[in-house]
Amino acid sequence: QVQLVESGGGLVQPGGSLRLSCAASGRTVSRYAMGWFRQAPGKEREFVAGISGSGANTWYADSVKGRSTISRDNAKITLTLQMNSLKPEDTAVYFCAADRVSVVRGTPDYWGQGTQVTVSS
């Protein structure tokens, strides 16, 4: 079974940066597609960034493209999201996700519990 645990959330000022991490465990999760989603209060969960199992391909939502970088370390089975130039609208609970096929199409099969990111002065 796959387990995902996020960390790195917190309070940051507008224009600041943070790095989210996701520690993953599971027999084959190192080959799964992985990604980040977020959910703001009163809104539906939305896709933020994804990465293929090998790490060769990445995908970004338009709202974070150019200021975010997703990466993975398959030796440690760790997923990261570096976010720069943070905006108040980035405030949300951020979730790590994994799927055998894709985190871009459909809904991933595995999810973490989420970590809160608050962007405020």
Side-chain angles (χ1 to χ4, degrees):
Q1 194 64 40
V2 173
Q3 182 178 350
L4 306 172
V5 181
E6 303 95 336
S7 64
L11 177 65
V12 62
Q13 294 184 352
S17 300
L18 59 76
R19 183 169 69 96
L20 304 180
S21 297
C22 174
S25 63
R27 183 171 177 270
T28 59
V29 69
S30 63
R31 298 191 293 271
Y32 286 17
M34 299 185 72
W36 292 94
F37 293 73
R38 67 187 182 187
Q39 186 169 22
K43 297 186 179 297
E44 295 186 354
R45 188 173 298 180
E46 65 175 348
F47 171 79
V48 177
I51 188 168
S52 61
S54 67
N57 300 306
T58 59
W59 300 266
Y60 297 93
D62 289 340
S63 59
V64 303
K65 188 177 298 182
R67 60 189 183 93
S68 297
T69 303
I70 188 171
S71 61
R72 67 190 298 161
D73 184 338
N74 284 346
K76 297 181 178 180
I77 318 179
T78 302
L79 179 73
T80 64
L81 179 67
Q82 177 68 43
M83 299 189 69
N84 304 317
S85 302
L86 286 163
K87 309 172 182 179
E89 51 263 45
D90 292 319
T91 296
V93 177
Y94 284 70
F95 297 89
C96 177
D99 192 88
R100 295 188 306 276
V101 179
S102 175
V103 295
V104 179
R105 303 178 182 179
T107 301
D109 290 331
Y110 304 100
W111 297 85
Q113 294 300 307
T115 184
Q116 176 70 49
V117 173
T118 302
V119 183
S120 179
S121 299

